[in-house]
């Protein structure tokens, strides 16, 4: 730590208190990772402010001294966006963890940005309302982080992504100014939409400290889980599902490798059949159980044209949770299997079959192992490329850059893009010029400079 940095940290201690500036090596390690497999960056200090006023004072110091600082939520991302530069400063939002108000008339929730997403969902459900994003990392991620990357979820097929529920945000700008981006209303045609500008900006324009989210009534759920002996039939089934006018709240899948890993991880060997090339989940929502069952029967008859395998069905809370288990745990299964890189591509739904074939072809050409799973109803694939245990990390990463670019270029060729919900962070930055024109990138740089002229945050 340099003498200048020591002076800055001492000034910050005067704002938040010595207890809330971490410099102990063991505690710093907890902030050195996200979920990007094995990447680590040890910060020189972690700051734990309690509110927007303390954050404002901290940013004023950083702005005046041109000191870079990385904003961190729950650390569940996979794009290295929450990792500081080596010996950099991290500002963690974990103490901003209060739910301020649940308004049943306006159907909104106001909360600090460090509230754990599942805690927010549980609180609003207890009041008879719902925040309809069942984000896979909800037990650990922060609602502010979800907004910063506009997280998606299986429910995004029906409800859109997190950005579609953000009404208003309290932001601390890099110079310490505190603003609200809008008003707590669902219709607002007054000026530029700053709320959506900050939503998905990955902390590059300002720090989200409070959020106001739109809520919806909860719904009954019915879930179908369908094995397929031919993966091409799975994709054809999904495409024809929409072509014939059916509706669902979620359509998810995992491929054969994912089925094998998840079934072994969960000790659910009954789902790991050699004939199963992919599993598909179709979730329906409604207000009446009998109507949902009618829909499920009709859809099951439609599915019979694409697979002869037995369809599993659940319409109770515990039954639905049990059927989702394989899909919800496949990411964990991969983490326990080997180091990997998670690629988060999205293509138009009409191109999902072509994208999957291309991934398989690229893997065969370059000889790497992988699994594909994700939100197939949205065309959003998670491609997890496994590290060869016989290859050094350096050699693997050099090869990985070639493989990732090949997959990204195919997604772009098909009219898609390089991130559907995980964001760019540091990990996808080298590929941004493939996805956007120089003009587009320069506009974003100009916006960044307007809010953060000294480029101090993220």
């Amino acid at each position: 730590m340099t003498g200048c940095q020591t002076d800055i940290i001492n000034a910050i201690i005067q704002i938040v208190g010595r207890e809330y500036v971490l410099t102990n090596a063991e505690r710093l390690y907890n902030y050195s990772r996200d979920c990007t497999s094995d990447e680590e960056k040890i910060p020189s200090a972690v700051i734990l402010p309690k509110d927007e006023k303390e954050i404002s004072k901290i940013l004023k110091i950083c702005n005046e001294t041109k000191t870079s600082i990385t904003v961190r939520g729950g650390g569940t991302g996979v794009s290295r966006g929450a990792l500081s530069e080596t010996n950099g400063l991290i500002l963690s939002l974990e103490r901003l963890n209060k739910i301020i108000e649940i308004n049943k008339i306006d159907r909104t929730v106001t909360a600090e940005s460090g509230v754990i997403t599942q805690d927010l969902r549980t609180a609003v459900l207890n009041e008879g309302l719902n925040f309809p994003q069942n984000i896979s990392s909800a037990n650990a991620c922060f609602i502010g982080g979800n907004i910063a990357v506009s997280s998606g979820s299986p429910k995004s097929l029906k409800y859109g992504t997190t950005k579609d529920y953000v009404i208003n945000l309290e932001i601390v700008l890099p110079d310490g100014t505190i603003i609200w981006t809008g008003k707590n209303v669902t219709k607002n045609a007054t000026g530029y939409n700053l709320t959506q500008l900050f939503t998905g900006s990955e902390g590059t324009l300002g720090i989200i400290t409070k959020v106001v989210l739109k809520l919806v009534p909860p719904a009954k759920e019915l879930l179908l889980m369908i094995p397929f002996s031919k993966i091409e039939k799975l994709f054809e089934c999904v495409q024809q599902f929409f072509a014939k006018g059916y509706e669902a709240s979620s359509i998810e899948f995992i491929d054969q490798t994912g089925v094998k890993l998840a079934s072994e991880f969960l000790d659910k060997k009954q789902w790991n059949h050699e004939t199963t090339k992919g599993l598909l989940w179709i979730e329906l929502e409604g207000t009446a159980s009998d109507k949902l069952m009618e829909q499920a029967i009709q859809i099951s008859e439609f599915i019979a044209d694409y697979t002869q395998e037995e369809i599993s069905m659940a319409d109770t809370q515990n039954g639905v949770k049990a059927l989702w288990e394989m899909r919800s745990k496949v990411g964990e299964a991969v983490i326990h299997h080997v180091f990997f890189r998670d690629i988060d591509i999205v293509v138009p739904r009409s191109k999902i079959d072509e994208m999957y074939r291309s991934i398989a072809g690229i893997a065969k050409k370059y000889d790497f192992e992988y699994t594909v799973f994700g939100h197939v109803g949205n065309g959003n694939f998670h491609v997890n490329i496994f590290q060869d245990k016989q290859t050094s990390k350096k050699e693997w990463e050099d090869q990985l850059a070639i493989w990732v670019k090949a997959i990204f270029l195919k997604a772009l060729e098909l009219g898609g893009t390089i991130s559907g919900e995980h964001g760019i962070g540091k990990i996808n930055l080298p590929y941004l010029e493939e996805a956007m024109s120089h003009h587009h990138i320069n506009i974003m740089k100009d916006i960044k400079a307007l809010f953060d002229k000294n480029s101090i945050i993220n």
Side-chain angles (χ1 to χ4, degrees):
M1 191 181 300
T2 66
C4 179
Q5 196 174 42
T6 300
D7 291 342
I8 291 165
I9 289 173
N10 285 336
I12 291 172
I13 288 172
Q14 297 304 309
I15 297 167
V16 301
R18 185 67 190 87
E19 179 183 357
Y20 298 112
V21 177
L22 310 181
T23 54
N24 175 274
E26 186 175 342
R27 297 192 70 182
L28 291 178
Y29 181 77
N30 296 329
Y31 298 84
S32 69
R33 304 170 65 98
D34 62 3
C35 291
T36 316
S37 203
D38 63 334
E39 183 74 10
E40 289 179 6
K41 293 282 188 181
I42 305 291
S44 59
V46 174
I47 306 158
L48 308 174
K50 69 178 180 181
D51 58 24
E52 74 282 358
K53 293 176 183 176
E54 288 190 351
I55 292 173
S56 172
K57 293 175 183 177
I58 293 163
L59 287 190
K60 284 178 180 176
I61 291 172
C62 290
N63 196 50
E64 289 168 2
T65 59
K66 298 183 180 179
T67 300
S68 296
I69 190 164
T70 300
V71 188
R72 183 179 173 95
T76 60
V78 292
S79 62
R80 297 178 187 160
L83 274 60
S84 73
E85 295 302 319
T86 302
N87 295 322
L89 300 179
I90 281 179
L91 187 148
S92 172
L93 297 169
E94 63 198 76
R95 293 179 66 205
L96 281 75
N97 57 9
K98 294 185 285 295
I99 295 174
I100 297 165
E101 180 191 32
I102 298 172
N103 189 315
K104 298 179 73 170
I105 296 174
D106 293 330
R107 290 185 176 174
T108 61
V109 57
T110 303
E112 293 181 324
S113 58
V115 172
I116 292 174
T117 304
Q118 188 55 51
D119 291 347
L120 184 142
R121 294 193 77 227
T122 300
V124 299
L125 282 168
N126 288 340
E127 295 296 325
L129 292 166
N130 186 28
F131 173 59
Q133 294 293 330
N134 56 337
I135 296 163
S136 60
S137 58
N139 286 320
C141 61
F142 293 175
I143 191 61
N146 297 151
I147 292 168
V149 298
S150 190
S151 299
S153 75
K155 295 280 192 185
S156 293
L157 178 60
K158 176 178 179 179
Y159 293 102
T161 59
T162 300
K163 69 179 175 62
D164 297 299
Y165 292 83
V166 182
I167 296 174
N168 200 1
L169 297 171
E170 182 186 74
I171 304 285
V172 182
L173 299 177
D175 66 359
T177 303
I178 301 171
I179 67 167
W180 281 93
T181 58
K183 299 290 183 180
N184 295 350
V185 293
T186 55
K187 296 178 75 173
N188 186 345
T190 310
Y192 294 146
N193 192 337
L194 294 182
T195 303
Q196 288 300 313
L197 179 62
F198 282 90
T199 301
S201 65
E202 300 187 47
T204 60
L205 304 180
I207 300 178
I208 299 169
T209 49
K210 292 190 182 74
V211 310
V212 182
L213 300 172
K214 178 174 63 176
L215 304 175
V216 299
K220 297 181 183 295
E221 299 170 341
L222 184 149
L223 184 62
L224 304 172
M225 185 174 76
I226 312 108
F228 285 79
S229 56
K230 294 182 178 179
I231 193 70
E232 61 268 22
K233 285 293 183 181
L234 184 153
F235 294 115
E236 185 182 352
C237 178
V238 171
Q239 290 170 330
Q240 290 304 307
F241 179 93
F242 292 99
K244 294 184 182 300
Y246 294 114
E247 294 289 338
S249 52
S250 304
I251 299 184
E252 301 282 304
F253 97 108
I254 56 178
D255 68 1
Q256 185 177 31
T257 302
V259 171
K260 181 177 184 295
L261 291 174
S263 61
E264 290 175 354
F265 178 70
L266 294 167
D267 197 23
K268 302 271 187 180
K269 295 184 175 60
Q270 66 269 32
W271 295 117
N272 186 20
H273 301 297
E274 286 187 10
T275 57
T276 302
K277 305 301 182 185
L279 275 176
L280 186 70
W281 287 262
I282 299 177
E283 183 190 73
L284 310 176
E285 283 189 353
T287 56
S289 298
D290 56 341
K291 295 292 185 183
L292 282 178
M293 189 58 70
E294 287 177 16
Q295 291 177 47
I297 292 169
Q298 185 181 14
I299 289 169
S300 297
E301 292 171 352
F302 155 76
I303 291 170
D305 290 338
Y306 301 93
T307 181
Q308 304 304 309
E309 305 292 327
E310 182 180 352
I311 298 173
S312 300
M313 183 185 301
D315 63 354
T316 65
Q317 187 175 4
N318 288 338
V320 167
K321 183 178 179 181
L323 275 194
W324 270 129
E325 190 174 28
M326 285 271 287
R327 170 63 187 91
S328 63
K329 293 295 184 180
V330 66
E332 248 183 274
V334 173
I335 289 171
H336 282 78
H337 175 60
V338 71
F339 291 147
F340 68 99
R341 166 73 187 277
D342 185 346
I343 304 170
D344 163 44
I345 54 170
V346 60
V347 296
R349 197 159 49 214
S350 57
K351 305 294 185 181
I352 54 176
D353 51 342
E354 189 174 350
M355 188 69 239
Y356 186 83
R357 287 195 302 271
S358 296
I359 294 165
I362 292 165
K364 184 176 182 180
K365 176 181 177 180
Y366 292 108
D367 191 25
F368 61 81
E369 294 184 359
Y370 68 99
T371 184
V372 183
F373 55 90
H375 319 300
V376 70
N378 294 114
N380 187 191
F381 290 130
H382 297 302
V383 187
N384 286 185
I385 299 177
F386 305 152
Q387 181 180 355
D388 183 351
K389 294 180 181 178
Q390 306 304 313
T391 304
S392 71
K393 187 171 183 291
K394 172 67 167 61
E395 184 181 355
W396 179 69
E397 288 184 342
D398 289 344
Q399 295 171 342
L400 184 64
I402 298 169
W403 308 338
V404 170
K405 185 173 182 178
I407 293 172
F408 280 169
L409 288 177
K410 187 62 183 182
L412 292 167
E413 178 190 325
L414 294 176
T417 193
I418 65 174
S419 179
E421 59 182 7
H422 290 166
I424 298 301
K426 296 181 178 69
I427 203 166
N428 290 324
L429 204 55
Y431 309 98
L432 195 59
E433 289 188 353
E434 305 289 352
M436 294 179 172
S437 69
H438 289 295
H439 185 64
H440 195 158
I441 292 172
N442 285 336
I443 289 172
M444 293 199 298
K445 286 180 177 179
D446 289 344
I447 293 170
K448 166 72 169 171
L450 178 66
F451 288 98
D452 185 14
K453 66 179 181 179
N454 290 322
S455 197
I456 65 164
I457 58 169
N458 288 38

